Amino acid sequence: MTNNGFEQDQYIRNRVLLMHVKCGMMLDARRLFDEMPEKNLVSWNTIVAGLVDSGDYVEAVGLFLTMWEEFSEGESRLFATMIRASAGLGLISLGKQLHSCALKMGVGEDIFVSCTLIDMYSKCGSIEDAQFVFDDMPDKTTVGWNSIIAGYALHGYSEEALSMYYEMRDSGGKMDHFTFSIVVRICTRLASLEHAKQAHAGLIRNGFGLDIVANTALVDFYSKWGRVEDARHVFDDMPKKNVISWNALIQGYGNHGRGQEAVEVFEQMISRGMAPNHVTFLAVLSACSRSGLSEHGWEIFQSMSGDHKVKPRPMHFACMIELLGREGLLDEAFALIRGAPFKPTVNMWAALLTACRVHENFELGKLAAEKLYGMEPEKLSNYIVLLNIYNSSGNTKEAAEVVHTLRKKGLTMRPACTWIDINRSSHVFLSGDKSHAQTEEIFQKVESLMAKISRHGYVPQERHLLPDVDEREVRFPFHHSEKLAIAFGLINTPEWTPLQLVQSHRICNDCHNAIKLITVVTGREIVVRDGSRFHHFVGGKCSCGDYW
DNA sequence: ATAGTCACGT
C-alpha cells in the first residue's frame, strides 16, 4: 500500500468518526476510535472535541493525556478544545498548564487558543488573567471582544462590560449576533432601556434580526423592564422559537402578575408540540402561584412527570409550597415538604418561611427559619431571614442574638440600595442618601409625595427596632432608597413615563404601601425588581398581590 | 472559539 493510499483510508475513517460525533452518537464514535488501526492528530482532535461538546470533560482530559504521553504533539485546535474542557470543569490549574504548554508549542497567540483562554479564565473566576490574554491579542477579533465582554458581565461588572462594548464599537470592531445577545443581557441586569433599544436596533441593522438567541434575550429584557407587550411583539415576530424563548415569555407574564396569559402561552406551547422543560414548569407554576390560579397550578404540577416527562425538582415543590402558602394553607404546605420524594431543600423551607411570615404563623416560621439556619450556617441570607422572622414577631432579643452571631462569623450586611436609569445613565441611592447632586429637590419631592399619599390613607409604618439600624430610619421610613429613587425618577422624566427600579434588597412593607399609592396620585407605572421577584405597580395595585 | 430562560435575600 502506498503512503498516499494509507492517508486516504485514514481520511475516510476520520470522516466517519466525525459523522458519528456530529450526530451525537458518542458511544459508537468511541468504539470506532478505539478500533482504529492508526490514529493521527485529526482523529484525536475529533474524538476529544466530541467528548467536550457532550460535556464529558473528564474523559476528554484522560484521552488527551494518553495522547500527550505518546506524541507530545498538539496544534491550536486541540489546545483550544482542551482549554474548553478546563473551563467546563472549572479547573483553572489545568487551564494554566495548557496555556503554558500552548506557549511552548508556539500556538499561544493563535486566535482560537486566545479566545478560549479568555473564556476559560473568566469562567474559572479570574477576569484579570482573561484581560491579560485579551490585551496580548495582536488583532482583537469579534470573538475576542465578545468573550471578554461576556467575562466582565459574568463577574457582575455590568457597567464595565457595557463600556467595553462601546469601546469595541468605537475601535471599529465588527459586532455580531453574539455581541448583541451579550449586550442585551447586560442591559437586562442594568435595567437600561435606552442601551437595550440601541442594541435592538443594531441587531436588526446588522442583519441579525432573525437570531433566536438574541431575540430571546430581548423578550427577556422587555418583560423584565415591565414592557410585556413589547416582549410579546419580539416573540411573535420570531420566525423560530425554542423552549428557552417560550420560557422567557411565560416567565415575563408571570413576573408581572399576568398568570392567565402565562398559562395560555404555556398551553399554546404544548399544543404546538414544543416540549416543556423544568424551567418552563418553574415559570408557569410560579405564575399560577402569584396570580392565585391554584387549581391550574395543581393540575400542571400533577401533569409534570406523567404527561410531560419532567420530574419535579425541589424548586417546583417550592413553587407549590408558595402557592399553598399564599392561601394560608400552611399545614398543607408543610405536608408537601414532608411528603417530598427527596430531602427538603433550602428553597422549600424558605418558601414555607415566607408563607409563615405573611400569615404570621411564627411557630412554624421559626421551625422553618431554624432549619434554614442549620442547613447553611455560613450563608448570609439565612441569617437575614431568621432575623426577619424574629423581627416581625417582635422577638428583639433573639434578633439581636442573630446579629451577634453574624458579626462573630464576620458576615456583614450590606446596606440596601436602589438603582434607577434615567437618560442612559444610572443613579444609585442608599437609604437616607444625600450625596446626589439633586438632593434638595429629591427630598422635597419625597415630602410632597408623602403628604399627597397620606390623604389617600398612607400611614408610615412603625417598625421594630433592629440592633443595627439607625433609629431615624426606623421612625422615618420616608428616606428609604426606593423612595428617593422614585422621587428622582419623577422629577427627571416626562409625566407618562413608567419608572423602572432595580433593588438590592427585599422591598419593605412601608415602601410597598407607599408605592402603590404613588401610582394613584401620579398616574405612573412603577416596576421594582429585586434579586428574585417583581413588583409591577399600577393604579394602586401590585402584581405580587401583596405577597412577597 | 464566544451568546439567550431558572437559581427565593441585604
Side-chain angles (χ1 to χ4, degrees):
Chain A
M1 193 189 279
T2 65
N3 194 25
N4 205 4
F6 167 75
E7 275 177 10
Q8 255 181 20
D9 284 353
Q10 190 62 35
Y11 172 79
I12 290 165
R13 274 192 287 266
N14 286 338
R15 295 299 294 193
V16 173
L17 179 65
L18 180 66
M19 223 176 66
H20 282 81
V21 165
K22 287 259 188 244
C23 296
M25 301 163 72
M26 282 313 292
L27 287 176
D28 293 316
R30 185 57 196 266
R31 193 173 40 79
L32 278 171
F33 176 79
D34 288 339
E35 287 169 2
M36 274 182 164
E38 294 281 336
K39 302 170 176 79
N40 64 10
L41 206 52
V42 177
S43 331
W44 286 99
N45 267 346
T46 308
I47 190 73
V48 168
L51 286 168
V52 171
D53 284 339
S54 58
D56 209 342
Y57 306 120
V58 177
E59 197 63 30
V61 173
L63 258 186
F64 172 77
L65 292 177
T66 321
M67 191 216 93
W68 195 251
E69 272 170 24
E70 248 179 86
F71 305 106
S72 257
E73 190 179 358
E75 43 81 67
S76 55
R77 288 293 190 126
L78 186 55
F79 274 109
T81 305
M82 290 319 299
I83 292 163
R84 211 145 53 85
S86 349
L89 290 166
L91 277 176
I92 195 166
S93 51
L94 178 62
K96 280 198 165 157
Q97 276 179 308
L98 286 159
H99 188 176
S100 59
C101 264
L103 285 170
K104 273 183 216 143
M105 305 288 293
V107 294
E109 297 213 331
D110 176 88
I111 199 72
F112 286 83
V113 173
S114 307
C115 292
T116 39
L117 277 172
I118 295 171
D119 185 55
M120 182 275 295
Y121 279 127
S122 70
K123 282 188 178 142
C124 291
S126 176
I127 191 70
E128 295 83 6
D129 284 316
Q131 178 75 57
F132 209 69
V133 175
F134 179 74
D135 288 342
D136 275 353
M137 281 176 79
D139 309 304
K140 311 229 181 314
T141 60
T142 300
V143 182
W145 277 108
N146 290 347
S147 305
I148 192 72
I149 294 171
Y152 274 93
L154 183 71
H155 284 253
Y157 301 122
S158 305
E159 282 97 347
E160 288 83 352
L162 197 58
S163 58
M164 287 199 83
Y165 157 69
Y166 285 113
E167 202 185 308
M168 171 188 189
R169 194 192 59 180
D170 295 343
S171 68
K174 210 166 158 32
M175 297 167 298
D176 65 2
H177 47 308
F178 281 74
T179 321
F180 292 113
S181 312
I182 299 162
V183 169
V184 170
R185 186 154 143 75
I186 292 166
C187 292
T188 307
R189 288 192 51 168
L190 293 173
S192 177
L193 182 63
E194 284 311 310
H195 292 288
K197 273 160 101 176
Q198 289 218 351
H200 190 171
L203 181 78
I204 293 165
R205 222 179 24 245
N206 288 280
F208 304 112
L210 301 181
D211 185 73
I212 192 164
V213 178
N215 278 302
T216 301
L218 282 167
V219 170
D220 184 50
F221 171 82
Y222 284 120
S223 81
K224 288 207 167 101
W225 213 89
R227 295 193 171 200
V228 197
E229 304 311 333
D230 288 344
R232 184 66 194 241
H233 273 129
V234 174
F235 180 85
D236 286 341
D237 285 348
M238 287 170 73
K240 276 194 174 165
K241 302 142 171 108
N242 61 19
V243 62
I244 301 179
S245 328
W246 285 95
N247 292 351
L249 186 67
I250 296 171
Q251 188 81 43
Y253 279 121
N255 278 340
H256 294 280
R258 294 165 65 165
Q260 195 60 52
E261 282 147 298
V263 172
E264 275 164 25
V265 174
F266 171 74
E267 280 165 356
Q268 219 175 76
M269 169 184 183
I270 303 297
S271 70
R272 299 221 182 142
M274 179 65 68
N277 65 12
H278 69 109
V279 180
T280 316
F281 285 104
L282 223 50
V284 72
L285 290 179
S286 69
C288 287
S289 156
R290 285 169 196 180
S291 303
L293 303 169
S294 37
E295 300 280 311
H296 272 101
W298 265 110
E299 267 171 40
I300 293 170
F301 182 62
Q302 304 288 347
S303 75
M304 282 182 70
S305 35
D307 297 354
H308 302 295
K309 309 280 174 254
V310 179
K311 235 167 112 186
R313 300 184 184 192
M315 275 308 286
H316 301 112
F317 273 80
C319 272
M320 297 315 288
I321 291 160
E322 185 183 308
L323 184 143
L324 292 167
R326 267 173 196 273
E327 306 198 342
L329 303 170
L330 299 178
D331 294 331
E332 285 83 346
F334 191 31
L336 203 56
I337 290 187
R338 283 179 303 186
F342 39 73
K343 199 167 165 286
T345 62
V346 172
N347 311 327
M348 291 161 69
W349 288 117
L352 183 66
L353 176 58
T354 302
C356 292
R357 180 166 47 69
V358 174
H359 294 284
E360 305 194 320
N361 183 333
F362 295 120
E363 208 176 311
L364 194 53
K366 218 179 121 184
L367 175 86
E370 277 158 3
K371 283 274 184 202
L372 276 170
Y373 179 78
M375 284 166 86
E376 297 179 325
E378 297 305 320
K379 202 170 162 187
L380 177 64
S381 64
N382 294 333
Y383 291 87
I384 307 290
V385 276
L386 193 63
L387 192 59
N388 275 341
I389 197 92
Y390 284 140
N391 193 35
S392 319
S393 57
N395 290 326
T396 33
K397 217 179 115 197
E398 281 93 338
E401 259 168 48
V402 174
V403 173
H404 183 69
T405 10
L406 213 139
R407 286 237 181 83
K408 232 171 46 189
K409 297 206 170 201
L411 299 169
T412 45
M413 289 195 278
R414 252 171 277 162
C417 64
T418 303
W419 201 3
I420 187 165
D421 199 83
I422 306 278
N423 302 328
R424 298 188 61 181
S425 59
S426 65
H427 303 256
V428 185
F429 291 89
L430 296 168
S431 189
D433 202 336
K434 294 199 168 152
S435 62
H436 198 277
Q438 282 178 289
T439 291
E440 207 171 308
E441 234 181 307
I442 292 168
F443 278 76
Q444 271 171 15
K445 186 77 184 174
V446 171
E447 289 300 321
S448 76
L449 275 175
M450 294 300 116
K452 264 190 205 152
I453 64 175
S454 295
R455 291 197 280 278
H456 283 76
Y458 167 76
V459 182
Q461 261 180 29
E462 292 278 339
R463 293 199 298 166
H464 300 290
L465 195 68
L466 263 185
D468 234 14
V469 176
D470 190 329
E471 208 176 312
R472 265 174 315 155
E473 200 197 320
V474 179
R475 297 252 167 76
F476 263 6
F478 287 13
H479 300 154
H480 279 176
S481 55
E482 47 269 55
K483 293 199 184 83
L484 299 183
I486 286 171
F488 174 74
L490 291 173
I491 295 168
N492 292 289
T493 54
E495 264 182 38
W496 37 266
T497 325
L499 297 182
Q500 161 81 50
L501 317 188
V502 178
Q503 200 147 283
S504 61
H505 58 297
R506 189 182 154 271
I507 192 166
C508 81
N509 234 321
D510 185 81
C511 284
H512 199 268
N513 278 334
I515 297 170
K516 280 198 286 186
L517 294 169
I518 290 173
T519 62
V520 174
V521 300
T522 63
R524 301 264 194 146
E525 233 174 287
I526 299 175
V527 179
V528 182
R529 188 180 103 208
D530 66 24
S532 51
R533 79 201 77 216
F534 273 78
H535 298 275
H536 193 141
F537 298 92
V538 54
K541 283 188 184 152
C542 178
S543 61
C544 76
D546 298 340
Y547 182 103
W548 73 95

